Amino acid sequence: MSDAPNDDVLHAALPDADLLKALAPYTTRGGGAVADAGRIRAVTRRQLMRCEAVRFTERRTETQRTAFGTKDLSALPLYEGALADHRLTPPEKPGKVTLLRAHSHRLVPCPCDNGTMRCASCSGSGRHDCTCRNEPPACALCLDVAPCTECEKNGGRRTRTAKVRPAATGPRATAPGAPRVTCAVCGTSETGCPGCSGRGRVRCPHCEGRGRETCARCSGRGVGPHDVCGGKGSLTHWVEGTVAYAHERASLSLPEPDWPDKVRERLAAARWRSHDVPADGAVPPGVHATHRAAVANHLAHRNAELSRRVTVETCPLARVELTDDPNRVFHVFPGERSLEVVATLSNRLKRRLIAAGAVIVIVVVLIVRLVA
């Protein structure tokens, strides 16, 4: 009856008699009574296994560190030689220990001018050419409107150096909401744009019309903090050792699930059996032979491992096919109180349904073509 006649453990966990009793409510004959073993066409038994290892690890690293100015490292404990040889008492909880390698602390003067350097943006002048290129920008208030409605109409008065824009008509004759003022070019009252007094251009807000503006990087000083030392004038070098303690979790589940989601969901309520892991980390005796190599690799000692907590759980699962019910497959496993059964469609029925669906599609396509 079983595909593994020599596997007494799995067969004993789910014997044929118990399988038939659990499948009695699903039978189509005998009013649900337990039938004989001849009703079982095929049964596949296997062990589900899940293992979680939580390792308490210690990892050591050395890093060359640099800080601006003088760095007070007096609070750090010292270690001599290689960090790997330094003895520490591991803590009970995860954490990190920072140490200082003896004789590695050095204060080095920076080859700058007391933490400053000539500003690279303005070459030390404190100013640079303005983006206006010494050309006053156009007045934004009288764009497309004559800066002055009377300029160049009176030949005897002072004229502008650049031609004014053509006078606008209608609502654009003056700036919205701003009355005209005395023109600074021709002197006519109530004719000039209030934004530029009839000039057509305004003073650059960045350089105030001087063509050069203050360097924003150094605020006009011509010097700035030295990037290498952060403006401190010196650097502190040291070698820092870090010892990190952590819980590292690793999980393993076997075999790879090839059953429907319906079965996977119900397996969450299965009765799993816990196994004690030997002190030397060997595979527990209750793990099936097909899983032992993978579990042994999973439980192998790691270089950074100090201690571990391991849980190993197993659960038998039987896949049963009945002779008088070819359209269903039954998955049987131990539940909290009794055996649980999950019925799914057989591959044979799935193929028939797919074939029937394909026939229906072909018929519909033919009918559509005939109607068209």
Side-chain angles (χ1 to χ4, degrees), residues 70-108:
T70 303
K71 180 74 172 180
D72 184 9
L73 303 173
S74 59
L76 295 182
L78 299 176
Y79 69 95
E80 299 277 354
L83 179 62
D85 299 331
H86 185 68
R87 302 184 66 177
L88 286 172
T89 301
E92 296 181 357
K93 297 180 180 180
K96 184 174 69 173
V97 178
T98 303
L99 306 99
L100 171 66
R101 190 168 76 183
H103 315 299
S104 68
H105 179 253
R106 294 181 296 119
L107 181 63
V108 180

Side-chain angles (χ1 to χ4, degrees), residues 22-368:
L23 293 172
Y26 299 88
T27 59
T28 58
R29 300 181 306 175
V34 178
D36 56 65
R39 294 191 56 241
I40 298 181
R41 184 168 67 90
V43 58
T44 303
R45 295 178 178 85
R46 54 183 168 176
Q47 183 188 72
L48 309 184
M49 190 282 311
R50 59 190 185 189
C51 174
E52 183 180 64
V54 182
R55 294 178 171 88
F56 189 61
T57 59
E58 177 190 85
R59 300 189 182 276
R60 303 190 176 199
T61 56
E62 274 188 330
T63 308
Q64 179 69 52
R65 299 290 304 276
T66 298
F68 297 146
T70 303
K71 180 74 172 180
D72 184 9
L73 303 173
S74 59
L76 295 182
L78 299 176
Y79 69 95
E80 299 277 354
L83 179 62
D85 299 331
H86 185 68
R87 302 184 66 177
L88 286 172
T89 301
E92 296 181 357
K93 297 180 180 180
K96 184 174 69 173
V97 178
T98 303
L99 306 99
L100 171 66
R101 190 168 76 183
H103 315 299
S104 68
H105 179 253
R106 294 181 296 119
L107 181 63
V108 180
C110 182
C112 61
D113 186 8
N114 196 27
T116 61
M117 60 179 295
R118 187 175 70 170
C119 178
S121 179
C122 63
S123 300
S125 66
R127 306 179 67 83
H128 55 74
D129 292 338
C130 182
T131 54
C132 72
R133 299 180 180 178
N134 208 21
E135 295 182 3
C139 175
L141 194 60
C142 62
L143 286 176
D144 299 326
V145 180
C148 176
T149 58
E150 294 296 324
C151 269
E152 300 182 345
K153 288 184 178 180
N154 300 320
R157 297 187 180 183
R158 179 165 57 93
T159 61
R160 63 182 72 247
T161 57
K163 292 292 184 180
V164 299
R165 300 178 183 85
T169 59
R172 301 172 65 188
T174 58
R180 290 277 172 163
V181 300
T182 299
C183 178
V185 179
C186 67
T188 307
S189 62
E190 298 182 359
T191 60
C193 168
C196 61
S197 298
R199 297 183 180 89
R201 293 184 176 275
V202 295
R203 181 175 294 180
C204 176
H206 302 291
C207 66
E208 296 296 326
R210 293 188 291 268
R212 290 177 65 79
E213 62 177 325
T214 302
C215 177
R217 184 172 183 180
C218 66
S219 300
R221 294 178 298 158
V223 295
H226 190 202
D227 294 338
V228 174
C229 65
K232 301 296 184 179
S234 61
L235 294 166
T236 300
H237 301 291
W238 74 97
V239 176
E240 183 177 279
T242 301
V243 184
Y245 298 92
H247 284 136
E248 299 183 6
R249 299 178 180 273
S251 300
L252 177 67
S253 296
L254 296 172
E256 290 293 330
D258 57 358
W259 43 78
D261 291 342
K262 181 180 179 180
V263 178
R264 177 182 56 81
E265 294 171 359
R266 293 281 295 276
L267 280 172
R271 187 174 75 249
W272 292 78
R273 178 190 172 191
S274 298
H275 299 267
D276 294 329
V277 180
D280 59 357
V283 181
V287 176
H288 194 267
T290 56
H291 304 327
R292 298 190 69 83
V295 175
N297 181 66
H298 185 71
L299 297 181
H301 182 82
R302 304 294 187 259
N303 290 333
E305 179 181 334
L306 298 179
S307 60
R308 63 168 65 182
R309 297 195 313 269
V310 178
T311 58
V312 177
E313 296 178 308
T314 59
C315 178
L317 174 68
R319 183 182 183 276
V320 184
E321 299 178 35
L322 300 179
T323 56
D324 54 356
D325 196 348
N327 294 328
R328 291 190 294 179
V329 174
F330 302 93
H331 298 80
V332 186
F333 54 89
E336 288 298 327
R337 297 183 179 179
S338 60
L339 292 182
E340 296 282 345
V341 179
V342 181
T344 60
L345 299 181
S346 66
N347 293 333
R348 173 185 176 185
L349 180 58
K350 291 178 182 179
R351 289 192 295 267
R352 287 185 175 182
L353 292 176
I354 293 174
V359 171
I360 293 174
V361 171
I362 294 173
V363 171
V364 171
V365 171
L366 292 176
I367 292 176
V368 171

